[in-house]
Amino acid sequence: MNPIHEMNEKRKLIITTALKLFSAKGSAATSMQEIAELCGMSKGSLYLMFKSKEELEASTLEYCVYVLMDEMSQIEHEASLTSRERLHKQIEALLTHVAELKEFLRVQMRSMMMDDEQQRKEKCTPQQRDIEIRTLHWFKSKLEDLYGPDIEPYTIDLIMLTHGLFLSYVKIWFTEMPSLTVNKMASNLLQMMDYAAAGYLQQRPVPLFPLEQWPAWVAETQPDSAILRHPVHILKQMQDIASRELPAGQSRNDVLETIAILRQEIMEFSPRRAIILGMMRNLEGIALLEPMHSELQHIMDTMYNRFIQADSSNT
């Protein structure tokens, strides 16, 4: 087996094993020794992959965010859904993930609440900052889809309201009312957003948090920061166009094989940079596929950059 691929598989096994244990009984009650034993490796081998339990926890949380963003992106491009149905389904997906990771997220949230502002800034990685900005643009787009462009000034106010309601729902769900359903909470949250949006649009108050004064928006506004189209959807479109419009022959077969390899590699836990770059180069210069190639390249440079392993001199 390729050494990089073997390392990726081991890393995936460690993170998914840790995630199951953290979710079942919390990270404090889970030892690195226990994780190593369940992964069939020594504790020393585990520490070669992750220098500390804190690093493993951070990687596990990052993996959870990646999985959730992947699912949200796929829902975003379900053409059969209306904007409202799409958002409802995305809220349900988020609630479902929160429920599955209850014990793990409880510890993480407690830790974040105890950190002071300086600690939070120091711990915030460029990837986390990018997710925050991307989420802001995504939510603004969602609000405008539902309520029209006039809702824009109230973007941050509605984010604060929705965020507070969501956390309150989850707390009550976990502690007081486990009988609450994901569907009911998602529906109620959307209804509360409707009431608030209607009030803002009717009364037109001065926003408490003007969008144009929000630091992330002012400092790093990126028009393309909404949730990106999932690479699988782009590759499917490229496959359809190549099959339908490229002349039959070896060249078309090579293109289709390249697309198939790209799709398989992208679905790996840690896509290999050398393969991604090689396959992307194979698709350069094909006029019919150029717009999709550029879109896919942009995604590789942003959303997937953290998960594509760099070339190693040891390979």
Side-chain angles (χ1 to χ4, degrees):
M1 180 182 290
N2 181 290
I4 292 292
H5 183 69
E6 185 176 0
M7 183 186 72
N8 291 343
E9 288 301 310
K10 287 182 179 178
R11 188 177 178 86
K12 179 179 179 179
L13 175 62
I14 293 168
I15 288 178
T16 53
T17 300
L19 182 57
K20 290 175 184 177
L21 291 171
F22 292 163
S23 301
K25 58 181 183 178
S27 56
T30 303
S31 68
M32 293 291 271
Q33 181 67 46
E34 185 178 8
I35 295 170
E37 288 177 357
L38 287 176
C39 291
M41 63 176 62
S42 68
K43 189 176 178 180
S45 296
L46 177 57
Y47 275 108
L48 288 175
M49 303 287 290
F50 298 94
K51 295 182 178 64
S52 66
K53 187 176 177 183
E54 289 72 25
E55 182 181 323
L56 176 55
E57 288 178 358
S59 295
T60 304
L61 183 61
E62 195 170 67
Y63 173 67
C64 293
V65 172
Y66 168 75
V67 171
L68 177 61
M69 289 181 68
D70 185 72
E71 184 172 346
M72 298 284 261
S73 180
Q74 293 196 54
I75 295 171
E76 189 71 22
H77 295 95
E78 290 187 24
S80 61
L81 301 178
T82 65
S83 295
R84 190 178 192 80
E85 290 169 341
R86 195 173 292 118
L87 181 56
H88 188 282
K89 189 171 181 179
Q90 287 170 326
I91 295 172
E92 286 187 327
L94 178 57
L95 285 166
T96 299
H97 278 277
V98 168
E100 291 172 348
L101 305 171
K102 178 170 73 171
E103 293 302 323
F104 177 52
L105 292 178
R106 180 180 291 169
V107 173
Q108 296 297 319
M109 290 176 67
R110 188 183 300 124
S111 174
M112 286 188 286
M113 290 175 68
M114 290 175 64
D115 289 343
D116 60 27
E117 184 62 26
Q118 184 61 34
Q119 286 177 310
R120 279 194 291 272
K121 287 181 179 178
E122 291 173 357
K123 287 183 178 181
C124 186
T125 66
Q127 290 78 23
Q128 291 169 331
R129 183 63 171 166
D130 181 67
I131 289 171
E132 290 177 6
I133 296 168
R134 195 179 301 283
T135 301
L136 171 60
H137 284 262
W138 173 78
F139 195 83
K140 176 180 176 292
S141 175
K142 286 290 177 185
L143 291 176
E144 291 179 2
D145 281 346
L146 290 174
Y147 309 117
D150 288 348
I151 201 66
E152 182 188 70
Y154 306 107
T155 296
I156 306 301
D157 290 42
L158 283 168
I159 283 178
M160 296 294 186
L161 174 66
T162 306
H163 181 259
L165 283 172
F166 183 87
L167 291 181
S168 297
Y169 286 4
V170 169
K171 182 179 179 181
I172 293 171
W173 185 27
F174 286 170
T175 59
E176 307 293 337
M177 297 182 65
S179 60
L180 282 174
T181 65
V182 166
N183 181 272
K184 183 178 291 186
M185 285 186 287
S187 297
N188 197 73
L189 187 59
L190 272 175
Q191 192 172 53
M192 294 301 104
M193 286 173 58
D194 288 343
Y195 293 153
Y200 281 129
L201 293 173
Q202 183 177 1
Q203 301 297 326
R204 305 283 176 159
V206 176
L208 182 61
F209 304 104
L211 180 62
E212 63 274 10
Q213 295 179 20
W214 197 250
W217 186 266
V218 174
E220 302 182 64
T221 299
Q222 300 175 19
D224 58 350
S225 285
I227 284 185
L228 302 173
R229 194 153 68 115
H230 195 281
V232 170
H233 292 277
I234 301 172
L235 290 169
K236 178 64 165 62
Q237 184 181 1
M238 294 173 83
Q239 181 185 44
D240 291 343
I241 290 176
S243 298
R244 186 175 62 248
E245 301 187 31
L246 289 179
Q250 188 60 46
S251 294
R252 183 174 71 179
N253 293 340
D254 289 345
V255 168
L256 292 175
E257 183 178 0
T258 296
I259 292 171
I261 294 171
L262 256 178
R263 176 170 179 163
Q264 180 178 349
E265 192 62 32
I266 284 171
M267 296 306 291
E268 291 289 332
F269 172 68
S270 293
R272 289 165 289 180
R273 183 173 180 270
I275 292 179
I276 295 288
L277 290 177
M279 296 303 102
M280 290 294 287
R281 288 193 194 100
N282 288 349
L283 296 175
E284 288 177 355
I286 303 174
L288 283 170
L289 305 181
E290 181 56 35
M292 288 149 286
H293 184 276
S294 297
E295 183 182 0
L296 192 58
Q297 186 65 61
H298 175 62
I299 292 174
M300 294 304 152
D301 292 340
T302 53
M303 177 184 277
Y304 281 82
N305 186 57
R306 166 64 180 82
F307 300 94
I308 298 178
Q309 299 299 308
D311 290 321
S312 170
S313 58
N314 298 324
T315 57

